[in-house]
Amino acid sequence: MESLRRFSALVGADLLERSRSRRFWVLLALMTAATWWSFPPAGADYLVLAVNGRYRGLYSSAWIGMVVAMLSIWLSLLGFYLVRGTLVRDIETRVWQLLVATPLTRGAYLLAKWASHMAVLLLVAAASLLVGLVAQWVRAEDRVVDLPELVKPVLLLAVPSLALTAMFAVWFDMVPWLRRTAGNVLYFALWIAILVVSVGSSGAQEGGAPARVAAGAADPRGIHLVQESVRALVAPDLGEPLKPGFCMRCGLGSRTVKTFAWRNWPLGWADIAGRLGWLVAAVAGVVLAAPWMDRAGARVGTPRQAGASGVGRRLRWLDRLLAPLQASALGALVAAEAQRSLRLRPWWWWSAVAAAALVGAMAPTAVAAIGVLAGWMLLLDLYSRAALHEQESRTGAIVFSSVGAGRRVLLARWIMLSALGCLVNLPALLRFLLEAPASALALLAICVSLASWALAFGTLLRNARAFELLACMLAYLALNGAPALNVAVDPLRTALVHLALLAPACALAWWGRTGLRLR
Amino acid sequence: MNAVTLPRDAAMALQQPMLALQELSYAYPNGHRAVDGVSLALGPGILGLLGPNGAGKSSLMRLLSTLARPSAGRILWNGVDVARQPDALRAALGYLPQDFGVYPALSAREFLRYLAAVKGLPHRGTADRVDECLALVGLADSANARLGDFSGGMRQRVGIAQALLNDPQLLIVDEPTVGLDPEERMRFRHLLTDLAGRRLVILCTHIVSDVEASATSLAVMLKGRLRFAGSPEQLIAAARGKVWDWTVDPGRLADLRARYPVSASLRRGDGVRVRLVADSAPAADAEAAEPGLEDAYVCLLASVGGA
């Protein structure tokens, strides 16, 4: 009884803390808006969760629940960035040291953290369901409210999927090198990988129970299960072959939307057990991490700060390189910013930069562009935390109590970030100048653009995660040949778009700068 | 409005104050008033700003250092409204916050040069000024050592050095001796005394002995309000006849603490020697004592319901 009270107190305090953050309400608003947008009226020119590009279920409780459950795939991405960090906060504020001196076990502590993550995520999912219910009533295609059918897809699809997200949030907070930018990037990659595996498994053909169990085991998001249900319930009435997968958002063009009835979602015990298996796996994953909690709690600060002296390398060659900058006040500021940032870089970072530079200089253009992208991603923590430095190092009161400090710091940091973006890709830049001037122009434009948007995001949102997530998404698009950060794809247009967006980014950063002083 | 007794020198300062606070208030978004209608006029010297934790001292410091904007009232620096022209004060301000960080990868000299550039000091002469400030706080020998390797006391001295970079007319130091060992604390007090002169130093603390050692005038805050402004002698004079030494049995100590504000106690062979505040002698064998600043402070807090 006592331990249950401790557990619920921990979950309650965490939930209260998170529900009072602006991030929670922003995500709640985003997800509820997305949910409303997912149930367009009959005459709309798009569809969400479309089968064969133009079929959707009538807006019954069962279909509403299914769409909300599939939307939770996005929540499993965004939710991670919302809930993660509570363990890190406990460790860095030394609250963990207070807790460890109580009878609370490590397993119970981690489980409570996981449960509070789940509570936050399920609150958002519940709000989405509520909006879905309103949409069902307003669209009035089928006003029969069937609560079990409404909730069933969320329970069986969303809950196990979100349970894994909550587990990863706990794990990533425990591993020191995953607590900040690296963890945020890695989770994005992991999320993409899981999605690819899930979608891949949905292409498997129908089989017996063993085949269904095997497919379910490779499908954390439950996409295969939904696909199989559609194949069984809807495909026979379509009058055309069922195409694999779903279209999360389909433009209709000249096609007309067609609907099918979806009033219940029959599932076998093997399917239900498969979904619950993921939930159990998530809980087990959290509990099994308990033996490592003491080690995790002992590592306070970033891995670099937690090192022997926390001062990094001296890098005398860098001092000599930057010496000419000391001739002016702004130059001295830029030099100090660079020294402060680069001295704390570990050896592997320099090696990775060298490798990326080599790829940028030697590889074929398409691969070189990926090398350039890697160079920028290696600077991602500098970009995303550029405007948060005074907040994180507790130097804000010293820095911002002097005349024009915000302006000078912002300018120096913008110059430093822009220059670093170019310098890590210098070999590629020189090569492109000779071989593909448009790509060189795109590279320069992106360098300045990244620095500007990073500062804009940081000054306005006071948070690194939003920019890191955006950068990951753009990098993913670039890897798939989209032009956003890929200097080899339509470079001239890429350069122009980035240059056009420069003014609003700089304006936002400049505007946000005044807020730095007052926080 | 707070009823504040101003001493003669403070009244003179009112005629041509460097810094004037007029009905200054600061409220948090939840409505809690951390600073509530504070009025004060200050000239050169060291002002000790005393008050228990949560009295509103640090909020007042943040207002004075332009890191927060008043909810009501004005701060005038040499007659200029700071809310309208914050740069007038910022240019003359040196601020050592209660809690501050440093850049561990930079040396003390590099960090101060960085801050000199951030503060917009003329580039020519910056190097000399940085070395001067480092020497002033006794860190000349450690100028090239990196801040990540500094002790807490050395970092605090770096904090003082950065506050002195622009040779400020107004130096604000917020709880500067917290976490320092006795030797460092003594060194800091001497430094503060040396720094006073034509400038105004505001020493914000809850440690009475820090103020006793260096302050020329005193202000006491409680629950956001200013409860006293004057000289240390005036505060002590107000406590005369209300401070008593009394040796009691150790078993009575808890009861005594519940009935009287106790400013000190010393365990001895014949019991516990207690110094307490009361309007009249608490017992026949209690002896009237000459109050120190600590006793006077406790006496003031007791009279306004803070102890």
Side-chain angles (χ1 to χ4, degrees), chain A residues 305 309-314 319 325-330 332-333 336-337 339-340 343-344 389-390 393-405 408-409 413 517-519, chain B residues 62 65-69 86-88 90-91 93 95 97 99-107 110-111 113-115 117-121 123 144-149 155 159 162:
Chain A
Q305 287 164 349
S309 64
V311 299
R313 289 167 177 73
R314 182 81 219 199
D319 296 351
L325 291 179
Q326 305 286 357
S328 72
L330 180 62
L333 259 185
E337 290 284 353
Q339 285 166 325
R340 174 182 64 71
R343 280 178 182 170
L344 292 171
H389 191 71
E390 281 70 28
S393 64
R394 295 181 294 115
T395 51
I398 288 177
V399 169
F400 295 120
S401 58
S402 48
V403 185
R408 284 188 207 96
V409 168
R413 217 157 276 173
R517 183 186 299 278
L518 300 174
R519 285 170 207 275
Chain B
R62 285 181 61 80
S65 56
T66 73
L67 290 167
R69 286 190 182 132
D87 287 356
R90 283 174 192 158
L93 174 70
Y95 179 43
D99 179 32
F100 70 97
V102 293
Y103 297 160
L106 297 189
S107 70
E110 287 168 342
F111 183 57
R113 284 184 181 178
Y114 169 79
L115 287 174
V118 167
K119 286 170 189 261
L121 303 186
H123 190 59
N144 289 322
R146 282 196 275 171
L147 296 171
D149 294 329
R155 284 191 194 199
Q162 67 78 28

